[in-house]
Amino acid sequence: MPEHAEGTAAEPTREVRDLLRRRREQIAQRWADEPLFRAVFTVSRDEAVEAGKTVVDALAQVADAARVEDPDAAGFSTVREQLARMGVARSRSGLSTAQVSSELAALRPPVENLLVADLPEDAPAEHVRDCVTTLSVLMGTLRVVVMQTALSEGQALIDRQRLQLLEVATPVIKLWDGIVAVPLIGTLDSARSQVVMETLLESIVEQQARYAILDITGVPTVDSLVAQHLMKTVAAARLMGAECIVSGIRPAIAQTMVHLGLDLGTVVTRASLADALGYVLHQLGVGIVTPGTNGAGAR
Amino acid sequence: MSQVLPGPHGAPVTGHVPVLRLGEILLVTLQGDLHDSTAQQLQEDLAETIVRSGATGVVIDVSGVEIVDSFLGRILAEIAGQTGLLAARTVLVGMRPAVAITLVELGLTLPGVHTALSTEVAMELLRQQAPSSRFGGLRQESQ
């Protein structure tokens, strides 16, 4: 083998690097047949081969820098985005992290076979073992890189969705002149109740609303923390000159609150949003008359 | 004696907040940063003015106040307390959302204070619920 002009005593890392450079085409071809590449690059096999080549190049670069154990090696930076895309694509199609990881592990044997085949037959067993180990470490690092990028992608997705949820979940509705309502939906944590409080107070100023109804029909559970958030919102609205009514207290929640000894103090509470609206209209001196009775009904 | 007395923090007393009288209601408008000594001066002025004029209500417009610290919060609560003792009522008007949130976070919910969104609403509130005079309850029935 002419490539082995440097002699069999080459360092395992260099050996692996040379293999990756020499067998670039074959490795990429074999990888293209592996489930990971087949599943990600469904359109054409050539695309998969091209992607495989970039990964092989990156691995060779990492080996060249003798940083096979370092997931932050400069060589990975060129393929990081592509690897992340592959990882995310596999997770999206419903694979667990362990499954993606084992698909990545399946990329190792083809390279390993080529490596062993390329080593001279009279190479000392120790050297063969060292080369194989180095390759394993390198492929392991590749796995770490993919997992890392896929995880941070997932984290970014979660962060985006959390922000979207904050925006979506806090509409302030004008029910009547001077009456606004906030239908609270989902668990009230500190961040969300802060957003609710701010949007509610802003709209109180905007609409010159003297009454604000907080409807907690969509809040699954009320514990002391949620109650505290509600009390804070009510107190802040009161300081601005608006009265708050808490409505939508389901029977189970009413029981829980009594069991927990939660005291909403002087806050006006009603069972349903309709009751709350009725109470507020009464306070404002607005009456509702059923049509057809010419206003001469029982009211 | 035109000597300028130092305030609690060594700064000279910056002056009085004007207290306007509208019939039986006193109107105070707070603007911008309020110095601690000015706030204390206002507290004294209000007590004296209520006693002198026989006002039944105090309207404090805080819409121009952007920052409230615990000291000013306490002063406001004390003003409400002393006004109550003098048989008048206090209405805070136009508090900004950020200020309201700050006060709540500081634990100053000002329980004895009435609040309103605008001065107009505050006046209406005082007219509706105030006793007709300081001798509350004694109303002359006109035939």
Side-chain angles (χ1 to χ4, degrees), chain A:
Chain A
M1 284 197 172
E3 293 93 332
H4 273 266
E6 295 167 44
T8 49
E11 273 181 57
T13 318
R14 215 179 305 154
E15 192 88 54
V16 170
R17 178 199 66 191
D18 292 341
L19 168 91
L20 288 169
R21 286 185 178 161
R22 201 168 54 233
R23 297 285 198 171
R24 178 169 178 257
E25 185 68 35
Q26 285 107 311
I27 296 174
Q29 289 287 347
R30 291 190 190 192
W31 279 0
D33 293 328
E34 291 294 332
L36 179 65
F37 279 84
R38 271 219 316 270
V40 176
F41 301 97
T42 46
V43 184
S44 77
R45 191 167 182 282
D46 289 345
E47 203 187 351
V49 174
E50 275 310 308
K53 280 181 191 166
T54 17
V55 177
V56 175
D57 288 344
L59 288 177
Q61 200 188 331
V62 172
D64 191 39
R67 294 172 70 181
V68 287
E69 289 174 10
D70 183 5
D72 297 323
F76 285 123
S77 60
T78 51
V79 284
R80 203 173 285 274
E81 200 181 320
Q82 183 194 333
L83 292 172
R85 230 177 30 242
M86 288 166 68
V88 169
R90 291 312 278 148
S91 328
R92 285 216 187 116
S93 57
L95 264 70
S96 71
T97 316
Q99 281 167 313
V100 178
S101 172
S102 70
E103 278 193 359
L104 277 162
L107 296 181
R108 189 174 56 91
V111 190
E112 195 178 303
N113 291 341
L114 283 170
L115 175 71
V116 175
D118 273 9
L119 286 171
E121 285 190 14
D122 59 340
E126 200 176 317
H127 178 66
V128 175
R129 205 185 58 220
D130 283 351
C131 288
V132 172
T133 311
T134 309
L135 179 69
S136 299
V137 171
L138 183 59
M139 295 306 287
T141 314
L142 177 70
R143 259 160 92 181
V144 172
V145 170
V146 175
M147 287 321 188
Q148 229 175 26
T149 38
L151 278 180
S152 61
E153 276 287 307
Q155 193 57 45
L157 183 74
I158 291 172
D159 287 346
R160 268 203 309 282
Q161 286 179 341
R162 186 183 292 153
L163 275 180
Q164 284 170 353
L165 199 64
L166 278 182
E167 290 163 9
V168 166
T170 52
V172 179
I173 303 160
K174 179 181 174 184
L175 286 184
W176 203 268
D177 269 346
I179 308 175
V180 290
V182 192
L184 296 173
I185 291 161
T187 314
L188 267 190
D189 57 11
S190 305
R192 283 201 50 205
S193 66
Q194 190 72 22
V195 175
V196 169
M197 196 196 278
E198 278 166 24
T199 44
L200 176 67
L201 298 189
E202 291 294 341
S203 67
I204 284 176
V205 176
E206 216 171 274
Q207 315 253 357
Q208 288 291 301
R210 289 174 66 174
Y211 292 92
I213 302 173
L214 285 167
D215 187 80
I216 58 167
T217 312
V219 179
T221 51
V222 174
D223 55 12
S224 52
L225 205 65
V226 173
Q228 199 192 344
H229 289 321
L230 284 177
M231 293 296 289
K232 274 188 185 172
T233 311
V234 171
R238 199 194 70 83
L239 279 177
M240 292 183 46
E243 191 186 339
C244 262
I245 296 99
V246 177
S247 76
I249 301 174
R250 281 173 278 129
I253 292 212
Q255 273 186 0
T256 321
M257 288 172 77
V258 173
H259 278 310
L260 290 174
L262 302 178
D263 186 12
L264 285 187
T266 53
V267 182
V268 179
T269 53
R270 287 293 182 270
S272 68
L273 185 61
D275 289 347
L277 182 60
Y279 163 79
V280 173
L281 288 176
H282 178 75
Q283 293 291 105
L284 283 175
V286 180
I288 296 178
V289 180
T290 319
T293 57
N294 289 331
R299 223 170 265 273

